[in-house]
Structure formats: C-alpha cells, structure tokens
Amino acid sequence: MRKFFGRGLAAVAVAGLLAASTGPVAAKDLELTITAPAGAGGGWDSAARSLQEVMMATGEAKSVQVVNVPGAGGTVGLAQFIGSAKGNPDQLFVAGITLVGASISNKSPVDLTQITPIARLTGDPLVIVVPKDSPIQTIDDLLKTIKEDVAKTIWVGGSAGGADHILAALVTKAAGADPSKINYVAYSGGGESLAAMLGGQATAGVSGYGEWEGQIKSGDLRALAISYPEPIEGIEAQPLKAQGLDIELVNWRGVFAAPELNGEDLEALKTAVANTLKSPQWQEVLKTRGWTDYYAPSDEFKTFIGSETERVRGILTSIGLAN
Amino acid sequence: MESIGFLIDGFALAIQPVNVIYAAIGVIIGTAVGVLPGIGPALTVALLLPVTFKLDPGGSIIMFAGIYYGGMYGGSTTAILLNTPGESASVVTALEGNRMARSGRGGPALATAAIGSFVAALIATGGLAFLAPVLVKVAVKFGPWDYFGLMLIAFVTVSATFGSSPLRGLTSLAFGLWLGLMGLDQLSGQARLTFGVPELLDGVEVTTLAVGLFAIGEALLVASRHLYKPEKPIPVKGSIWMTREDWGRSWRPWLRGTLLGFPIGALPAGGAEIPTFLSYNIERKLSRKPEEFGSGAIEGVAGPEAANNASAAGTLVPLLTLGLPTSATAAVMLAGFQQYNIQPGPLLFTQHADLVWGLVASLFIANVMLLVLNLPLVGLWVRLLAIPLPWLYAGILVFASMGTIAANPSVVELLLLTGFGAVGFLMRRYDYPVAPAVVGLILGPLADSALRRSLQMSLGDPLILVHHPSSAIMIAIAAIALIAPFIFKGLSRFRQDED
Amino acid sequence: MQLKTIQTANRPAAVVAVVLFAIAAVTWWDASHMTARATYGMSASAASYLVAVFFVALGLAHLVNAFKPADIEAEAADWGAIGWIGVALAGLIGAIWLGGGFVLGSTLLFAFTTRAFGRRALLVDLCFGAVLAVLVFFLFNKLLTLALPMGPLERLF
C-alpha cells in the first residue's frame, strides 16, 4: 500500500513523466547496494549506475541502490565500506586505479587488497597529446625534449598522484630523465587542463582519451600515443608499446564485494556480476558510454590488484609522493 | 549570418507544443526545488536530472534548460526573503536583498531580481548564441597568471562587503582563507590542516559554509533575540511592485552586471561568484545613494543578481564548445549530455547543431516563462514571511540540513555545518560580516593554485606575473583599486587643511 | 578567567585575539610538518605560513582594540533558545550517526527548533515535523531517487 502511495505521488507530481520503471520479473532475489566512493556524475558513479541499470534490466538482481560516499580520492568511501560491510553479501563497491594511488599517497590505513575482487569492468586508455602548433610530432620527439630539459617540459593533467601524473612520470623515466624532476602541473580534472593545453601553456598533456577526443578529432590537439597495451579500433594514436616504449597504464574500474565474504554468498555475487557483464545490455552500455571492455574474472582480478598496487607504489615513490 | 538561420531552426524545434510543455514543467519544478532554502541550483539540477532521462534527447535538454534557469532563479528568492542563500553565488544578493525584505520591500527586491535575471539571461543567451566561438578562443588563452590577476582584483573588491569595521571584515576574510587551506592541496597532494580526519581531505564545501553561516547562524540569532525583542518580519509595506524610482535605479546595474557576469562566467575557471562581488562593489561605488548600502539598496540586488544569471549562461560557453564544466551545475549538465552519448566539445556545434540551437532557443523560452511565472508569484513568495516564526525557522533548518545531507551524507559534514552555524551566530552577534568568509573560502584556494601554477611554469621566476600584458594590467588595476581610496582620502584631507 | 583580572575594556576583542593567535599557531605548526616539497616554484606550505602571519597581525590588532572601549554593545541573548537549537541539531546528528534515519532526525530537528522559538506544544510539533520529513523523504528519495540516510522508519516504505 505505502509503496503504491509513493508511486502515486510520483506520478501526480510530474504528470506521469516518471512512470515507475519496474524491471522484468526478478529471476534472483539479490537486493544489492553499490557504493560509489565519489560524488554524482564522475566515472565511478556512472559505472555504478550503469551496473545498477543492467543488473535490474537483466534480472540478475531484484533491486539495486547506489550510494555515493565521496571523499579523498575514494579512501573515505573505502574505509566506510570496510568498516560496515564486513561479511555482508548484499554490498558491492566500485573503484579503480585512482583509489589505488589515493590509498598510498594519503597514507590511508585501508586499500583495495582488503576487500574481495569480483570483476574488472572497463579499462580506458590515457592519451598523451601536444598542442597542434607544437614542433613535437612524435613520441620520440617528446622523449628527446624531455631528455634535453626535463624542467622546461611542462606537463598538464589531472590531480597530483593520479593516473595522469603516473603516466607522465613513466614517460619521463623512459626518456632517461629523473622522474622526481618532472614539471607536472596538476589541474582538478580533464576540463581545466584541457584549457591549459589549448591555450598553449604546456608542452604536453595527459588525460583520459574520451575526455579530449573531441579536440583530438577536430585537430586542436595532436595525440602522440595511448597507454593501452593494444591498438583500439577508432583511435588513430598508437599504443606506447607499439612505439617501442615498455609502458602500459590503463584507467581501469572494477567491482568488489565486502571483506571476509566466502562460500555460497560470494559465488552468487560472482555469477550475478559475470552474467550481467556478458549480457548484450552491458555491451550496449560500453558502446554508448565509450568505455573499453577490460573484463577479468575474480581470480585474475585479484592477482591484478596485487601487482597494480605494487607498481603504483613504486612510481609514486619515484616522484616523491609516497615513501 | 549563418547562426541566425540555425537559431530560427532551433526555435522551430523549441516552440513545438510538446517541447513548450517540457520547458514549462522544467521551469516550474526547477523553481519549486530551487526555492527551498539551502538547496542551490547545482543540487536542484542534480536532483532533477533523472527526471529528464525518460524523454528523448531534444525534450530532455529543453526541460533541462528550464530546470537550470528555474533553479538559478529560485535560489535568489530564499536569499532575499529569509537570508538563507542556497549557494555561494546568491550570498551577495542576500546582503542587500534581505535588508530590503526586512523593511517590507521584499516585493521590489524579488521583482528587480526577477527582471534583472531575465534581462541578463536574455543578453547572455544571445551572447552564447553568437559570441561563443570567439569567446572561447580568448578564454583558453587565460593562463594561471591571468587568473591570479583576476583573483587580486576580486580580493580588493571584497572590502565592499566589510560593513562598519575593516578589522572585523578582514578577520572574517581570514577565517575563510583559513578554511580554504583545509584539505589536499591540488598541486602537490599535500594535506593541509586535516588533523588526520579523512573526511577533511576534500576540503570545506563552499555550500556547507554558506548555508551554515547564513541559514543556521541566522536562525540562532533570531532565536536568541526572540525573547527580548521579538522580530516580526514585515511581509509587505507599500507597493509590492517596483516604483518608478526602483526602475530608474535598477536598469543600469542590470546591464553592468550582465557585462561582468557573462565573460567571467565564460572563463574556464571564472565561476559565478566573482562577478557578483565585482558587481556589488561597482554598484556601491556608482550609486547615487551609497549610504543606503548595508540597509537595503536596490542596486545591490539588481547588479549581482544579473551578474549571477549572466554568468550562468556564460558557463555554457566552455561547456558546449570545449566540453568543459566550470561549475558544479555545469558538471551535472555535462553528465546529462553524456547520458545521450552526446559529448559536448568542438564538434558539438557541427555534429548536433539541431540540439545546440534547440537548447539555445529553449533557454530563451525558459527565460520568458520564468518571468511570466515568477512576477505573479512575487506576492505569494512574500507571504512566506507570514508563516509563524517557529515553523518558518524549523522548516529552514530541516531543508538546509537536508541539502547538506543530500550532497554528502556524512556526520562530519553535519558537524561542520553546525560548527559554521555557531560561528555565524557569534559573528553576527559581535558585528563581524559573514560574507567575506565565504569569499575567502572561494578565492583563497583559486589564488593559491593560480600563483603556484604560474611559478611552476616559470620555474620559480615571479616576473612571469608581469611579463604577460593581460595579467600585468589586472595586477595594476588591483593595486590602483587598493591604493586609490587612501590617496583620495589624503588629498581631500589636504584640501581641507588648506581651507 | 585570567582575562578578567587584566583591565580589558572590550572583552570580546580580547577573546577573539586569543583565538586568532591559537589558529595562527596551529596553522604554523601544521605547515612546518608538511613533507611534500614543490620541485619548481612554491610549496603548499607557503600559503599556510602566509595565512598564519595574517592571523598574527589580526590578533595584534584585536589586542590593541581590547584596551579601547567597545564600539558595539552585544545585546542580551536568550541562551536557552540557543541551547534548544543546539539540542535540535544534536538530535539530527545523533539520529544520522546512530542509524536512526532521515525522518527521525528531521522530526527531532523541527520539533526542538520550534521549542527554541517559544512554542510549548511539543507533541503537535513532533507530528508536524514528522509529516514534513516524510513528505520530503518521499519527494526526494522516492521521486528523485536521492539517497537520504535510511533508518528503521524509512525501510518501512
């Protein structure tokens, strides 16, 4: 009855625009809560909401709610999740490489190895660009410029210690310069650093490919390379690996379950998520959002988290953001 | 001109009956949610975004335009009537607007805000339609040094909000600057003043400070006085409409506010607050009745409110042409576009010309609707003040805290809100102005990172700030604005001595 | 209080001065413990030091003022009312903290705030507050799918 009243109110208030969207009859009884450790609108939030949408549409879960717990690169949300969800089979958590870095550079007592990996979802390439008027034509030109004067090579990108910064450090290191001398100017996100690139205030810039795609296609920025291990259809810029640099860095996102979750409950979650990710609806989401599929099942993802944490720690230490 | 043809096509799309209805619904719910105290446009748009998902892209974006302008407009209503701005850009509106409302001139204050918003949005939307490609080329040339110059100008003009004592004004500003230090430094990732509390790593939300200082502080002050000198707000005294004199004093501030708001809003890191401070300062300087400032000068509502709305249209310039969201509201709008796999950016105007021009046309339509809807409502809004005080303030507290909970459901955030409320009360009680604290929190981090980015790019050479003519000019303006009053004072004293 | 023994004409200014010095000290201490150093240009601590110095200057100015007669008179305040609003906000924070949910918290906030403004009909106002909170909850949580803190009451719906 009460539910009906709520729905009725909804319908009246916006003249039926919000006609209640009840999914198909639920095949499973999972009632899940997904924590996105970031504010509404960002990458983790949209990943969580897409997962919510597809899980309900495919009937893999009866109901899914998304909770945003923003703060400190996701470490606030992670700490809260670890504290409150222990052993709880109804809780999921969405996170990515930025949280790995944030745990380390914020000296947070919690990190992703403390929760249960379920699946890796997507992995977006980062792109290295230069302004269109720049004399730098290829990645080798950029390496030469760095080698000549690492201080005068001004990089712009997202926040300090994030994936953009890490990639810039890796490239600096590959050029044979000292990564701790990198002149990386951090901006709050892809938007502000884009303005700095277009204004010609920087030598090179790093961002998620999708964020700068428009300017790359319109010719305002010249893409030198992407950080994905293999070439991607529809992206002209070639991987760093294909251009002779042994660097790969993917801005991955994954989904996790509560700590200390075992047995049947864990298997049920794994199956539900795996089925969701195999559905045509999920492929559709990847396409419309412009995300690159980077699926890995639970076990593989677990090893990946371990190696990724060590690798990020190594790079952050070399640029002086961790010790 | 090619643009005019496109704009006509846009109107053809926007004027279809079903789209007009979407725009009307957007305007109504945008105003209704935006008018709640403590809930600003960003939250309004974020809350209402899902409503639009059910429509086709065209209809959704049109409804969105209505929500955006409706939320912007609704925010000023509570700032004026209840002294509870829901967002930082309305803080300046509250300064004079609430004084007017207290002396029974709430009607004209709301009216000048409504008409000023209309005029500003009309001109600025026109600017968006025809100047966007040019503006954006200038805007991206704005380097960190230029931002630093702009911040210096803004800092100097803050003194206009200081009230009776410069010392108390500076102290309030310093409090804001101090809060601005809190959190992770953007450039180096260094935590400042976080005392090991992870929730503080993201710094203090401007909205939390504004709502705490204004809404909660105000409620505490009114409650503390209730017993001794009960204050009954005067719903209406005299006409609820603007008099001839009000019109005469409003139209220039509207235009000046628009001229400030639109270009600064179009800067990738300009924002809506800085033009409102600048406008308030200019109007105070230019007013024929400067003595009324601080006790309810209509220019002090007309100018900043126009600047605020013009900057809202200005924000759409980098959003549509670069895909660059420069305010929280714009970030939510970007998410709205992406929902339909439309990536704002340089290709948007060519790939989705129909949508862009439909949006621009519906902004015009939403703007007209807002005026039509809100002018008659002025009388109704003013009646809000007739609600018995206990319920009125209890309601304000419920909505103000809800706004905070909705943005970030954490106990730390609520504790901050309460703490700011207590500080706001004490500041009011001992006659410290509260607005400079909000200004300090906004400008401090911006100035800090602009200066440090400049120095990083110049490898530590401070002369970079004067090497670029644009920043050199702005720094000079700030210096003159700072020193000139003293010189004038000295000169007039000198002349008096001669007499 | 030691301040009373010194002849202060303007006690609030003296208190503010002490607070300002304390903030300056904390800020300075915090800045001196920062580890991240900028490779080029200024470090993050520069702004902290600047603000700390600013606070010291303001504190000195307040200290000077403390010995002058006050230019403003603080009016009489009803501290009971302030206390009630404090209780109201504590009710909200407590309800959220302990998982009581949004409706309970807002109801308490509403009812105790009306008490601060001199109303004694607590039961009536509790009902009013509850109705308002439930309406808000429906509007924002159900209609606009905004995640408000859930408690036992909210789970009923």
Side-chain angles (χ1 to χ4, degrees):
Chain A
M1 266 313 274
R2 288 204 162 111
K3 206 165 206 163
F4 178 77
F5 173 68
R7 292 262 157 81
L9 187 79
V12 172
V14 288
L17 278 168
L18 256 190
S21 56
T22 33
V25 182
K28 310 239 168 70
D29 299 330
L30 287 175
E31 293 191 16
L32 300 173
T33 303
I34 307 180
T35 302
W44 294 339
D45 177 61
S46 27
R49 287 184 196 276
S50 306
L51 206 56
Q52 169 191 37
E53 201 178 296
V54 178
M55 287 192 99
M56 304 221 328
T58 53
E60 290 300 328
K62 195 168 130 202
S63 77
V64 183
Q65 225 201 348
V66 174
V67 179
N68 294 89
V69 189
T75 48
V76 171
L78 180 61
Q80 187 178 322
F81 185 76
I82 289 177
S84 68
K86 193 173 280 183
N88 189 331
D90 311 325
Q91 299 282 336
L92 290 177
F93 187 86
V94 170
I97 189 171
T98 322
L99 184 41
V100 174
S103 293
I104 297 168
S105 52
N106 296 350
K107 301 181 184 68
S108 168
V110 292
D111 67 39
L112 284 178
T113 57
Q114 295 165 21
I115 55 179
T116 318
I118 295 288
R120 198 171 61 194
L121 303 172
T122 62
D124 296 334
L126 301 179
V127 66
I128 301 171
V129 303
V130 293
K132 67 173 171 196
D133 307 325
S134 166
I136 298 169
Q137 297 292 336
T138 64
I139 191 81
D140 290 328
D141 292 349
L142 179 63
L143 295 179
K144 223 179 289 159
T145 314
I146 296 172
K147 182 87 186 143
E148 268 164 28
D149 194 341
V150 64
K152 287 210 175 115
T153 308
I154 298 171
W155 290 85
V156 295
S159 56
D164 300 352
H165 194 171
I166 292 175
L167 181 60
L170 286 171
V171 172
T172 304
K173 203 171 160 191
D178 179 357
S180 70
K181 290 274 175 279
I182 183 173
N183 194 349
Y184 180 85
V185 184
Y187 283 85
S188 62
E192 273 188 57
S193 57
L194 173 62
M197 278 312 289
L198 294 176
Q201 293 141 20
T203 318
V206 184
S207 171
Y209 182 82
E211 284 186 84
W212 290 358
E213 189 176 15
Q215 280 72 19
I216 293 168
K217 290 209 165 138
S218 69
D220 291 315
L221 295 175
R222 185 182 309 125
L224 300 179
I226 55 170
S227 63
Y228 205 74
E230 294 118 36
I232 296 176
E233 206 186 305
I235 298 182
E236 211 175 298
Q238 290 304 301
L240 286 163
K241 274 212 160 143
Q243 303 189 51
L245 275 83
D246 188 23
I247 299 173
E248 66 167 274
L249 188 75
V250 177
N251 184 9
W252 53 265
R253 303 187 191 105
V255 58
F256 299 78
E260 292 172 25
L261 190 65
N262 298 305
E264 261 179 48
D265 289 336
L266 179 61
E267 290 310 316
L269 276 180
K270 279 186 191 172
T271 325
V273 171
N275 288 342
T276 307
L277 300 180
K278 279 176 202 144
S279 69
Q281 287 99 321
W282 181 254
Q283 297 308 318
E284 189 59 35
V285 165
L286 292 180
K287 225 173 91 191
T288 53
R289 293 264 180 183
W291 288 338
T292 313
D293 195 3
Y294 203 47
Y295 174 74
S298 180
D299 297 334
E300 191 188 330
F301 188 30
K302 190 172 181 154
T303 350
F304 177 76
I305 294 286
S307 63
E308 196 76 345
T309 306
E310 280 324 299
R311 189 164 80 114
V312 171
R313 186 186 304 279
I315 304 162
L316 289 179
T317 309
S318 78
I319 49 181
L321 280 171
N323 36 30
Chain B
M1 271 171 84
E2 194 186 14
S3 308
I4 292 178
F6 278 127
L7 188 58
I8 291 170
D9 291 346
F11 269 109
L13 175 73
I15 209 106
Q16 288 167 14
V18 60
N19 287 342
V20 172
I21 292 173
Y22 287 151
I25 295 174
V27 165
I28 291 169
I29 54 182
T31 313
V33 177
V35 86
L36 300 175
I39 300 182
L43 193 57
T44 307
V45 174
L47 286 175
L48 297 176
L49 184 66
V51 178
T52 64
F53 288 168
K54 318 273 174 196
L55 312 176
D56 64 291
S60 146
I61 286 170
I62 286 166
M63 189 188 228
F64 212 73
I67 292 174
Y68 185 43
Y69 274 9
M72 287 298 299
Y73 179 77
S76 62
T77 307
T78 42
I80 290 173
L81 292 179
L82 306 173
N83 205 9
T84 55
E87 36 117 26
S88 40
S90 305
V91 163
V92 178
T93 309
L95 289 180
E96 297 301 318
N98 188 247
R99 294 278 158 207
M100 288 182 70
R102 286 201 178 169
S103 52
R105 308 228 313 125
L110 287 178
T112 197
I115 303 171
S117 301
F118 172 75
V119 172
L122 198 68
I123 299 175
T125 312
L128 169 67
F130 298 108
L131 297 179
V134 186
L135 254 180
V136 78
K137 284 209 181 78
V138 181
V140 294
K141 290 278 178 225
F142 229 72
W145 34 87
D146 299 312
Y147 281 111
F148 184 66
L150 184 64
M151 297 309 145
L152 284 187
I153 296 181
F155 266 124
V156 173
T157 60
V158 171
S159 61
T161 60
F162 279 178
S164 60
S165 148
L167 175 62
R168 289 196 284 268
L170 281 173
T171 308
S172 174
L173 179 70
F175 175 59
L177 291 175
W178 185 70
L179 291 177
L181 288 176
M182 273 187 189
L184 282 184
D185 164 50
Q186 211 181 66
L187 271 83
S188 62
Q190 169 69 49
R192 291 192 285 207
L193 294 170
T194 52
F195 312 109
V197 181
E199 278 85 354
L200 288 180
L201 284 174
D202 278 355
V204 176
E205 278 289 334
V206 181
T207 329
T208 309
L209 180 69
V211 171
L213 285 183
F214 277 88
I216 313 242
E218 178 80 7
L220 285 166
L221 186 76
V222 176
S224 80
R225 283 175 170 171
H226 196 61
L227 199 59
Y228 299 104
K229 38 174 194 182
E231 188 177 336
K232 190 78 199 140
I234 315 161
V236 188
K237 198 175 85 187
S239 167
I240 71 163
W241 299 112
M242 290 167 69
T243 60
R244 179 181 285 271
E245 194 206 342
D246 290 336
W247 281 96
R249 290 173 61 180
S250 288
W251 71 271
R252 281 190 207 92
W254 290 339
L255 296 182
R256 283 192 288 259
T258 309
L259 285 182
L260 279 173
F262 182 62
I264 297 182
L267 287 178
E273 297 89 4
I274 294 166
T276 62
F277 310 144
L278 295 177
S279 164
Y280 183 78
N281 191 45
I282 289 181
E283 296 313 330
R284 205 172 83 127
K285 290 265 153 62
L286 294 179
S287 171
R288 259 171 272 151
K289 294 187 176 167
E291 71 283 357
E292 273 191 22
F293 271 77
S295 57
I298 196 164
E299 294 95 332
V301 182
E305 199 45 33
N308 179 4
N309 275 56
S311 79
T315 310
L316 294 177
V317 172
L319 180 71
L320 294 179
T321 54
L322 296 175
L324 202 168
T326 57
S327 67
T329 323
V332 184
M333 289 194 76
L334 183 64
F337 280 107
Q338 284 165 340
Q339 188 71 22
Y340 294 103
N341 201 20
I342 298 167
Q343 181 66 41
L347 302 177
L348 182 71
F349 274 80
T350 45
Q351 283 176 351
H352 297 281
D354 50 336
L355 274 184
V356 176
W357 291 100
L359 173 69
V360 172
S362 29
L363 286 173
F364 279 115
I365 291 178
N367 197 21
V368 175
M369 277 184 179
L370 262 180
L371 191 71
V372 174
L373 177 75
N374 278 299
L375 276 186
L377 283 183
V378 164
L380 179 71
W381 294 135
V382 175
R383 297 262 177 281
L384 273 182
L385 296 180
I387 298 175
L389 277 193
W391 289 346
L392 181 63
Y393 279 97
I396 291 176
L397 287 193
V398 167
F399 282 112
S401 57
M402 197 213 88
T404 305
I405 297 173
N408 186 358
S410 100
V411 172
V412 176
E413 203 70 17
L414 278 176
L415 286 173
L416 280 178
L417 184 74
T418 307
F420 293 147
V423 173
F425 164 66
L426 291 173
M427 286 171 77
R428 275 154 214 266
R429 188 171 154 76
Y430 294 104
D431 202 27
Y432 285 81
V434 288
V438 180
V439 177
L441 176 59
I442 296 167
L443 293 184
L446 286 175
D448 178 29
S449 48
L451 177 61
R452 281 170 48 217
R453 280 196 191 111
S454 311
L455 291 180
Q456 195 180 343
M457 288 181 177
S458 71
L459 305 182
D461 178 7
L463 287 178
I464 190 170
L465 296 172
V466 289
H467 274 164
H468 296 265
S470 46
S471 65
I473 291 170
M474 282 192 277
I475 292 171
I477 292 176
I480 292 169
L482 186 67
I483 300 165
F486 294 104
I487 296 176
F488 282 128
K489 222 184 245 170
L491 273 181
S492 59
R493 197 171 292 162
F494 182 68
R495 283 203 194 113
Q496 271 169 8
D497 287 350
E498 272 188 340
D499 290 343
Chain C
M1 290 269 292
Q2 217 189 342
L3 286 169
K4 268 189 182 161
T5 58
I6 313 169
Q7 265 300 324
T8 44
N10 185 351
R11 206 157 65 91
V15 175
V16 173
V18 171
V19 172
L20 293 175
F21 287 135
I23 294 180
V26 168
T27 311
W28 191 279
W29 171 84
D30 183 70
S32 65
H33 281 73
M34 290 180 188
T35 48
R37 290 270 161 271
T39 321
Y40 309 100
M42 269 158 51
S43 291
S45 54
S48 290
Y49 286 123
L50 189 72
V51 170
V53 171
F54 191 24
F55 268 95
V56 170
L58 290 169
L60 288 175
H62 273 90
L63 209 56
V64 171
N65 272 6
F67 294 98
K68 290 187 207 157
D71 57 343
I72 43 150
E73 197 69 42
E75 53 197 29
D78 175 6
W79 292 102
I82 302 287
W84 276 112
I85 293 192
V87 171
L89 287 164
L92 172 73
I93 295 172
I96 305 274
W97 200 341
L98 303 173
F102 171 79
V103 172
L104 180 66
S106 294
T107 306
L108 294 176
L109 176 64
F110 187 93
F112 288 129
T113 308
T114 58
R115 178 71 183 75
F117 282 86
R119 272 179 64 88
R120 309 242 161 203
L122 194 63
L123 210 62
V124 177
D125 287 340
L126 275 174
C127 295
F128 257 127
V131 170
L132 180 72
V134 169
L135 274 180
V136 169
F137 180 76
F138 265 122
L139 187 69
F140 287 93
N141 196 295
K142 296 289 170 192
L143 189 62
L144 302 174
T145 61
L146 173 77
L148 288 172
M150 302 290 276
L153 264 175
E154 286 80 357
R155 294 205 180 89
L156 287 179
F157 300 120

